[in-house]
Amino acid sequence: MDDEINNFTEKLDQWLCRQQEGGSRLANFDIINYIQIPGQSQNKGNNIQHSVEYSVSSPNKSNKKFKIEESPRVGGSAGIANLPFLDMYVKKMMRVGSLIQIKMEESIFGEEFLEQLRVESIKEILDHNWLSASIITVFSRYLYDKFISPNGLINKFSFISPHVSREDNLGNGIAKILLKDEEFKDKMILAPCNLGKHWVLLVINLNAEVIYYMDPLNGEPTKHQNFKTKFENALQIYRANSSSKVPKVSKSKKISWQKIKCPRQINGVDCGYFVMRFMKEVIMENEFMIPTNYFFDHKCRTYSHDKLTEVKEDWATYVVDDVFGKQEAIILPN
């Protein structure tokens, strides 16, 4: 694999030199279509194949579970393909301070916005550092595009942007998003939240008025009272302004918080990677509730290095194939 990576690096260097000597203007998709990434084969049209193969059924309208079969190579060194490519691309093509603008659609987060993915943020995942909100947001978009939308689950899962959950102090902004679409009441809403250099995941079932709390440090939501109050306020505002959607019997009921015994991180930087994997597994299980002891198929003391590498490869593959490869992004220089 090291020889393949070295050959890949040399090929990228040679191509860049030839392009620069000829005075050509470099384009993302030119590089991606030219390079054969180690460990991957090219399909018709020279598009890069995902190192994760998805086996899914037709759009799932009955809310039954669907299973995703992943290539056994994913997670081991033989399966790493787009991470080294992305690393080389960032070093060769993106200046310090440059950023990528990626359109986030209302159907994903309840509001449309441009995510500004800075080169410094991309380096976070390449160097396995603590993750910022931009990385988590792009991973949410990946889950929507690759799992939710193709399987007919757009009325089952949605997200609250970590930017909104961080900036909204009282819960008004969160409530505004929930009230935008009547179908939110039937969804499981995934809300990755930064508590201050630590990521947790909330999964909100509006119909049941339950908030599932998933903390890779096994913390208690009561230790973050302002954060807890913010989400309770948001759901109470939703109650008050959606009388036709919420049964009267629930009006006096307290919002239920259920702490999930999920896999635990063993260092100070992995929380963001754990939260991204939590989101993926919740969607893969396709249920309206999360067992207190977590899903049987994914229960473990902690995630292995391979499982975290798989999440990083998912992220890198999406950026390379779907952001760069389909000209999804606008790259702005510093």
Side-chain angles (χ1 to χ4, degrees):
M1 185 64 182
D2 290 341
D3 290 339
E4 289 180 331
I5 295 296
N6 290 334
N7 292 336
F8 157 70
T9 303
E10 291 174 8
K11 190 175 181 182
L12 177 57
D13 286 336
Q14 292 168 5
W15 188 82
L16 289 171
C17 288
R18 286 199 296 273
Q19 293 293 311
Q20 290 166 352
E21 288 171 0
S24 299
R25 192 173 179 182
L26 301 175
N28 299 326
F29 54 89
D30 291 332
I31 300 173
I32 293 169
N33 287 336
Y34 178 82
I35 299 296
Q36 175 66 42
I37 295 180
Q40 291 185 328
S41 59
Q42 288 180 310
N43 62 8
K44 191 173 182 180
N46 292 327
N47 291 324
I48 300 169
Q49 290 184 337
H50 289 284
S51 58
V52 181
E53 297 177 357
Y54 303 106
S55 175
V56 294
S57 60
S58 57
N60 190 333
K61 297 181 179 179
S62 62
N63 287 330
K64 292 181 180 179
K65 285 176 61 175
F66 63 91
K67 289 295 182 182
I68 299 170
E69 297 179 2
E70 298 177 327
S71 166
R73 296 178 64 187
V74 171
S77 60
I80 302 173
N82 282 307
L83 281 169
F85 177 87
L86 187 60
D87 186 40
M88 186 59 61
Y89 181 92
V90 168
K91 290 175 180 176
K92 295 289 184 181
M93 299 297 297
M94 298 185 72
R95 301 174 186 173
V96 174
S98 61
L99 59 87
I100 305 168
Q101 289 188 338
I102 307 172
K103 182 180 178 181
M104 298 294 168
E105 299 174 358
E106 185 175 341
S107 58
I108 306 172
F109 293 100
E111 61 178 2
E112 183 178 303
F113 62 94
L114 283 176
E115 181 61 44
Q116 298 192 342
L117 181 63
R118 299 188 177 276
V119 63
E120 292 80 9
S121 297
I122 299 175
K123 288 179 179 178
E124 293 167 359
I125 200 164
L126 294 174
D127 298 335
H128 199 92
N129 292 328
W130 189 87
L131 299 179
S132 60
S134 291
I135 300 294
I136 307 290
T137 301
V138 172
F139 192 78
S140 302
R141 169 71 187 268
Y142 151 75
L143 292 173
Y144 182 88
D145 286 353
K146 299 302 177 183
F147 292 84
I148 295 172
S149 181
N151 289 280
L153 297 175
I154 58 175
N155 293 325
K156 174 72 176 285
F157 293 104
S158 190
F159 298 89
I160 292 176
S161 162
H163 301 297
V164 171
S165 63
R166 180 69 172 168
E167 296 166 3
D168 182 8
N169 293 323
L170 300 177
N172 295 313
I174 297 169
K176 183 179 178 181
I177 290 174
L178 298 179
L179 288 164
K180 263 189 175 183
D181 188 347
E182 184 175 344
E183 292 179 347
F184 263 117
K185 71 181 179 67
D186 298 318
K187 291 185 177 183
M188 293 284 277
I189 302 166
L190 285 71
C193 300
N194 177 11
L195 298 181
K197 275 296 182 179
H198 179 60
W199 287 100
V200 299
L201 176 65
L202 303 188
V203 182
I204 305 169
N205 185 328
L206 277 179
N207 235 355
E209 298 191 318
V210 172
I211 300 177
Y212 298 99
Y213 183 77
M214 303 177 66
D215 183 351
L217 282 180
N218 196 35
E220 298 288 341
T222 51
K223 291 184 177 180
H224 308 278
Q225 195 58 51
N226 290 340
F227 163 79
K228 184 173 180 286
T229 300
K230 171 171 61 179
F231 275 89
E232 289 177 350
N233 286 344
L235 266 64
Q236 288 165 359
I237 294 170
Y238 175 83
R239 276 181 182 177
N241 292 277
S242 57
S243 57
S244 62
K245 305 167 193 173
V246 181
K248 290 183 178 180
V249 69
S250 69
K251 293 285 186 176
S252 61
K253 189 177 69 175
K254 289 185 177 179
I255 306 299
S256 173
W257 288 75
Q258 296 188 18
K259 178 183 170 182
I260 305 302
K261 297 177 182 176
C262 47
R264 296 179 62 177
Q265 68 186 90
I266 55 176
N267 58 32
V269 300
D270 279 350
C271 53
Y273 304 94
F274 273 61
V275 163
M276 290 195 298
R277 188 159 188 98
F278 292 162
M279 291 195 295
K280 181 179 179 180
E281 290 173 352
V282 167
I283 294 169
M284 288 171 67
E285 289 299 310
N286 190 20
E287 299 284 3
F288 273 112
M289 57 85 66
I290 303 175
T292 302
N293 291 320
Y294 204 45
F295 300 114
F296 179 81
D297 289 345
H298 306 290
K299 188 190 303 186
C300 57
R301 187 182 66 84
T302 188
Y303 289 132
S304 65
H305 175 268
D306 286 351
K307 286 186 179 294
L308 297 184
T309 300
E310 179 187 312
V311 170
K312 292 164 63 175
E313 178 64 21
D314 286 344
W315 192 94
T317 298
Y318 181 72
V319 170
V320 170
D321 286 5
D322 291 75
V323 177
F324 294 157
K326 296 181 181 178
Q327 304 180 62
E328 171 76 21
I330 302 171
I331 298 184
L332 302 177
N334 59 336

